[in-house]
Amino acid sequence: MESVVLQLRERIAAHAASGKPLAIRGGGSKEFYGGPVRGEALDVRAYAGIVEYQPKELVLTVRAGTPLAEIEAALDAEGQMLPFEPPHFGAGPTSGATIGGTVATGLSGPRRPYAGAVRDFLLGARILDGRGDDLRFGGRVIKNVAGYDVSRLQCGAMGTLGVLLDLSFKTLPKPAAQATLRFEFDEAAAIRKFNEWAGKPLPLSGACWMEGIAMLRLSGATAGVEAARVKLGGEVVEPAAADAFWRDLREQRTAFFQNAGPLWRLSVPQTIAPIAFVEAQCIDWGGALRWLASTEDAKSIRSKVAAVGGHATLFQGGDKSAGVFHPLSPALAQIHRNLKSAFDPHGIFNPGRMDNF
Amino acid sequence: MANKVITDRAMDAGSQPDMNQTRDRLAAALAAVLPPDALLSAREEMRPYECDGLPAFRAVPMLVALPSTVAEVQGVLRAAADLGCKVVARGSGTGLSGGATPLPDGLLLSMAKFHSIVSVDPLARTARVQPGVRNLQISEAVGPLALYYAPDPSSQIACSIGGNVAENSGGVHCLKYGLTVHNILKIEVALAGGAAATIGSDALDAPGYDLLALMTGSEGMLGITTEVTVKLLPKPQLAQVVMASFDDVEKAGEAVANVIGAGIVPAGLEMMDQLATRAVEDFVHAGYDLDAEAILLCESDGTPEEVAEEIAKIEAVMKASGATEIRVSKNEAERLTFWSGRKAAFPAMGRISPDYYCIDGSIPRKALAMVLRRTAEFSEKYGLRCANVFHAGDGNLHPIILYDGNVPGELEKTEEFAAELLELCISVGGTITGEHGVGLEKVNQMCSQFSDKEREMFFAVKRAFDPGMLLNPGKAIPSLHRCAEYGRMHVHAGKLPHPDLPRF
């Protein structure tokens, strides 16, 4: 495997010298996300495989090119999981999604508000910077405060700060029991209920609303899930249908997402009342994530979302020339430029994929 | 707070004329932005600030500023930047690694006057607090709402939330509930030079790079936190703890792995060895099993149904792992009694030894037995007793070396013991600090844990925020020069310590 690293380092060094951009690529399942892809492809899928996984340590170290599906199967065999429930996208369980792309895009699924995001479970990263230097940050232990948290900085950085090599995660046991409850609520009531419930000691692991229907997932100890189910009421969804629902929500395969128009991802404070748009929204993350398929002007969408303390990303489709990611304040944009040039002084990694600084 | 004074290695640089001149100019500039009572310049007034919770390192700063508004903090940073003056921020001063040790040629910026809880949003389960608010103060304030702030470092009664952000503080419950980085949403910061910025957001993520993660644990070197928005969690209805005795430390270590292997994520999982247990029993009378080589405290929290299910599982695992005695707390008072010894471990050491030195290494749990065995060997080799308390669930060791600072050479032996133990942590794939930070204390060991290029990258990250390198310089990240010096001292004949052990 170190020969693969050597080849990657040589390519990076050559591009650092020429200044020609590289488009870091895993399975390409999330290529639609972020600013336009430019540059010569740097395929990292040859750098694959599980380096170390000891379930009793709750720590997994994998190479960035490893398919997400392979990692999930290995964890599943030990009754464990990646708690942030990452979306694969692409075609079903055999989609080419890699763990490197999962970290680079920083996207997390329905469990995120209750368990945490990708960044909350990443413990360490080995990366190649824009000079081709081989660097390790963080580690394989759960508690570690030596040095700045450069590994978490890679989450959601769209590959603009380095080529990811080895990644270590904290894993968790799968819950012993799971149940999904269905309620009929309007949008405002669903948001309020989701937040009220989250303030109670209930084993929540998902809360989604669309088209008048709220779905609530409970995960945890068998007796705890059962007690919560009794307390909450609602209609119990048959387990297979429930699993399919949460998977389809995570993978954006539900009817709501079957729309050719621009799809916006609105990340907002979770208690914010329904935001007025012509088009309906799909609410995930207990109110903190709102999906909107709308052709409304980007500026208008961003200003409505910013007014309530959130930020809007043009997630898929639409006109990317107006910017995919929410603009940064001048002070933060300057820090971003400084960080980018610290990690990638020649500007060769994924230029323009993160387009807000 | 926990450590005793081990020596007074004054870093005072004396009174060179040019430093006096800088101080006078800075004092004049600060007088324009601060009320008169917010600036200390007399030596006696500045004494209380000369060290943090690591009193081995002391220095009297050039001046102490005590601003009470964000505008004043910005003004102070602007004035310092104009004069190229270094700034060290300080919260409650309880840090254990010297992160808030003043610099003799720098300004000490105390955030102690920022002690208000700005607002609480019960529906969103968040609180906006000023950085000088004490950790425990948050949970006390939101307790009536049946909410709490999860990270609970041992010093939570005194430590400030701003300091928690700077150190990424953990606590006894972090295996289940995470560290500071997992429990904050947003910080307001004043950057070097005085500009203000908002990092993170009231949503669950923010556009751009994850600067919130980068700032958390950055030891006051990237910016000064002026407000923190923390997440609040619903208070568990019930907590119960299982106390299990073992006749062998390695068996106890194996039991820890078995609990995790059984799919349980306990709210807390702590180990104490016999020396620690005996010392604390004399102090708190918790009824610990004094014949046990090690005891484990394993807590479950949640709804009564969840706790009952989990406690039964934990008991079964402990039994199967060879526990010689198992007790389950029958009520809240008994639960607190079981914990009292663990929480009193530090003061109890103070009763059995004139001085003690606490280590903060973190290791993969599978290396536990070996590290404990080596620790016992080091203890023999240096002729110093060492008690072990341990956040077993997440692999964070706190060996406490007992010594007498009045015996010539004992402090030096203690430091060598500690250094050797930290090198061992690195060599088994662990880290030199799980939760106390690097500060001044462990800056040399950073040379072993990170390569020259990695440390250079840390400096580049610092420059991205603080191009003038004015915020807490010299802490946490050692220079190449310093590492070269350290290497000469500790690498013999080109060999790393413990060449027989795999590194990473």
Side-chain angles (χ1 to χ4, degrees), chain B residues 167-305:
Chain B
E167 303 294 330
N168 192 15
S169 305
V172 180
H173 293 97
C174 38
L175 182 65
K176 185 167 176 183
Y177 295 107
L179 309 158
T180 304
V181 70
H182 303 108
N183 288 281
I184 59 175
L185 280 175
K186 182 172 85 166
I187 55 176
E188 299 293 339
V189 296
L191 300 166
T198 302
I199 290 176
S201 84
D202 290 318
L204 291 179
D205 48 35
Y209 297 141
D210 196 338
L211 301 187
L212 188 61
L214 194 60
M215 293 285 299
T216 311
S218 63
E219 306 200 16
M221 297 172 74
L222 303 182
I224 309 298
T225 305
T226 58
E227 189 182 291
V228 187
T229 302
V230 301
K231 292 186 204 172
L232 304 171
L233 296 180
K235 263 203 258 185
Q237 283 169 282
L238 180 69
Q240 257 185 306
V241 62
V242 174
M243 182 162 75
S245 308
F246 291 85
D247 57 12
D248 178 84
V249 174
E250 292 187 28
K251 275 190 205 164
E254 192 50 38
V256 170
N258 293 341
V259 169
I260 307 289
I264 301 164
V265 182
L269 182 48
E270 298 284 313
M271 187 194 289
M272 285 191 284
D273 71 2
Q274 195 177 50
L275 181 54
T277 317
R278 288 187 173 177
V280 297
E281 182 61 21
D282 276 353
F283 192 56
V284 299
H285 310 293
Y288 291 143
D289 178 355
L290 300 181
D291 296 324
E293 285 296 320
I295 66 165
L296 290 180
L297 291 168
C298 186
E299 182 158 287
S300 169
D301 69 6
T303 63
E305 298 84 5

Side-chain angles (χ1 to χ4, degrees), chain B residues 14-37:
Chain B
S15 55
Q16 301 93 324
D18 50 336
M19 210 175 84
N20 279 347
Q21 207 185 9
T22 311
R23 183 176 57 210
D24 293 346
R25 288 168 62 198
L26 184 65
L30 292 179
V33 294
L34 291 173
D37 62 347

Side-chain angles (χ1 to χ4, degrees), chain A residues 99-135:
Chain A
I99 192 70
T102 301
V103 169
T105 53
L107 299 171
S108 301
R111 198 184 300 272
R112 190 267 174 260
Y114 312 103
V118 188
R119 55 91 86 175
D120 293 307
F121 291 91
L122 186 69
L123 299 174
R126 175 185 175 196
I127 66 168
L128 297 176
D129 73 5
R131 304 164 191 84
D133 285 335
D134 187 346
L135 310 171

Side-chain angles (χ1 to χ4, degrees), chain B residues 100-429:
Chain B
T101 309
L103 299 172
D105 58 344
L107 171 75
L108 188 88
L109 175 60
S110 167
M111 298 300 283
K113 288 186 180 173
F114 288 79
H115 48 54
S116 303
I117 295 178
V118 180
S119 63
V120 174
D121 184 339
L123 188 62
R125 291 101 52 212
T126 59
R128 282 172 58 200
V129 302
Q130 292 189 323
V133 166
R134 290 172 298 107
N135 173 295
L136 189 59
Q137 200 182 335
I138 302 173
S139 291
E140 285 171 350
V142 302
L145 301 167
L147 298 171
Y148 78 115
Y149 175 64
D152 59 345
S154 300
S155 58
Q156 69 176 152
I157 193 167
C159 63
S160 71
I161 190 73
N164 289 179
V165 172
E167 303 294 330
N168 192 15
S169 305
V172 180
H173 293 97
C174 38
L175 182 65
K176 185 167 176 183
Y177 295 107
L179 309 158
T180 304
V181 70
H182 303 108
N183 288 281
I184 59 175
L185 280 175
K186 182 172 85 166
I187 55 176
E188 299 293 339
V189 296
L191 300 166
T198 302
I199 290 176
S201 84
D202 290 318
L204 291 179
D205 48 35
Y209 297 141
D210 196 338
L211 301 187
L212 188 61
L214 194 60
M215 293 285 299
T216 311
S218 63
E219 306 200 16
M221 297 172 74
L222 303 182
I224 309 298
T225 305
T226 58
E227 189 182 291
V228 187
T229 302
V230 301
K231 292 186 204 172
L232 304 171
L233 296 180
K235 263 203 258 185
Q237 283 169 282
L238 180 69
Q240 257 185 306
V241 62
V242 174
M243 182 162 75
S245 308
F246 291 85
D247 57 12
D248 178 84
V249 174
E250 292 187 28
K251 275 190 205 164
E254 192 50 38
V256 170
N258 293 341
V259 169
I260 307 289
I264 301 164
V265 182
L269 182 48
E270 298 284 313
M271 187 194 289
M272 285 191 284
D273 71 2
Q274 195 177 50
L275 181 54
T277 317
R278 288 187 173 177
V280 297
E281 182 61 21
D282 276 353
F283 192 56
V284 299
H285 310 293
Y288 291 143
D289 178 355
L290 300 181
D291 296 324
E293 285 296 320
I295 66 165
L296 290 180
L297 291 168
C298 186
E299 182 158 287
S300 169
D301 69 6
T303 63
E305 298 84 5
E306 288 168 331
V307 173
E309 189 174 322
E310 204 165 82
I311 289 285
K313 276 196 206 169
I314 294 169
E315 273 192 276
V317 173
M318 294 295 182
K319 203 167 285 172
S321 307
T324 52
E325 191 188 324
I326 297 174
R327 288 166 64 191
V328 182
S329 65
K330 287 188 279 297
N331 50 49
E332 187 61 8
E334 193 173 52
R335 183 182 77 89
L336 295 175
T337 304
F338 284 4
W339 276 114
S340 63
R342 170 61 187 87
K343 298 214 166 175
F346 287 75
M349 295 307 145
R351 282 166 52 100
I352 62 166
S353 174
D355 299 286
Y356 59 90
Y357 190 94
C358 177
I359 296 165
D360 177 41
S362 203
I363 55 167
R365 274 187 307 267
K366 64 176 185 231
L368 173 62
M370 189 271 261
V371 170
L372 288 176
R373 206 162 47 235
R374 294 295 291 265
T375 305
E377 287 167 19
F378 294 153
S379 175
E380 193 118 320
K381 169 175 156 190
Y382 290 101
L384 294 168
R385 289 179 298 164
C386 180
N388 285 289
V389 297
F390 181 36
H391 300 305
D394 39 36
N396 189 191
L397 295 161
H398 289 316
I400 305 170
I401 304 171
L402 309 180
Y403 73 100
D404 184 348
N406 290 323
V407 176
E410 276 216 349
L411 170 66
E412 290 69 24
K413 276 202 292 182
T414 301
E415 287 182 319
E416 271 181 60
F417 185 160
E420 196 162 357
L421 199 47
L422 291 180
E423 296 282 350
L424 177 65
C425 291
I426 298 172
S427 68
V428 298

Side-chain angles (χ1 to χ4, degrees), chain A residues 111-186:
Chain A
R111 198 184 300 272
R112 190 267 174 260
Y114 312 103
V118 188
R119 55 91 86 175
D120 293 307
F121 291 91
L122 186 69
L123 299 174
R126 175 185 175 196
I127 66 168
L128 297 176
D129 73 5
R131 304 164 191 84
D133 285 335
D134 187 346
L135 310 171
R136 289 167 194 261
F137 299 101
R140 288 187 202 161
V141 287
I142 289 166
K143 281 163 90 175
N144 184 359
V145 292
Y148 304 131
D149 202 337
V150 172
S151 32
R152 286 197 168 92
L153 187 66
Q154 308 301 322
C155 293
M158 302 298 290
T160 58
L161 298 178
V163 174
L164 304 175
L165 292 177
D166 297 357
L167 300 164
S168 293
F169 296 90
K170 178 180 171 184
T171 63
L172 281 182
K174 288 182 135 185
Q178 197 141 283
T180 294
L181 307 176
R182 182 182 184 277
F183 301 84
E184 286 185 24
F185 285 138
D186 67 24

Side-chain angles (χ1 to χ4, degrees), chain A residues 228-279:
Chain A
R229 189 191 65 74
V230 171
K231 192 180 289 176
L232 290 166
E235 181 194 329
V236 177
V237 181
E238 188 264 320
D243 286 351
F245 171 81
W246 294 107
R247 193 174 54 242
D248 289 349
L249 172 67
R250 185 192 76 197
E251 298 299 330
Q252 302 192 340
R253 289 197 296 246
T254 59
F256 176 88
F257 294 98
Q258 310 314 310
N259 187 321
L263 178 67
W264 287 85
R265 176 189 188 273
L266 317 180
S267 178
V268 298
Q270 51 212 0
T271 53
I272 293 302
I275 311 167
F277 288 104
V278 176
E279 299 85 355

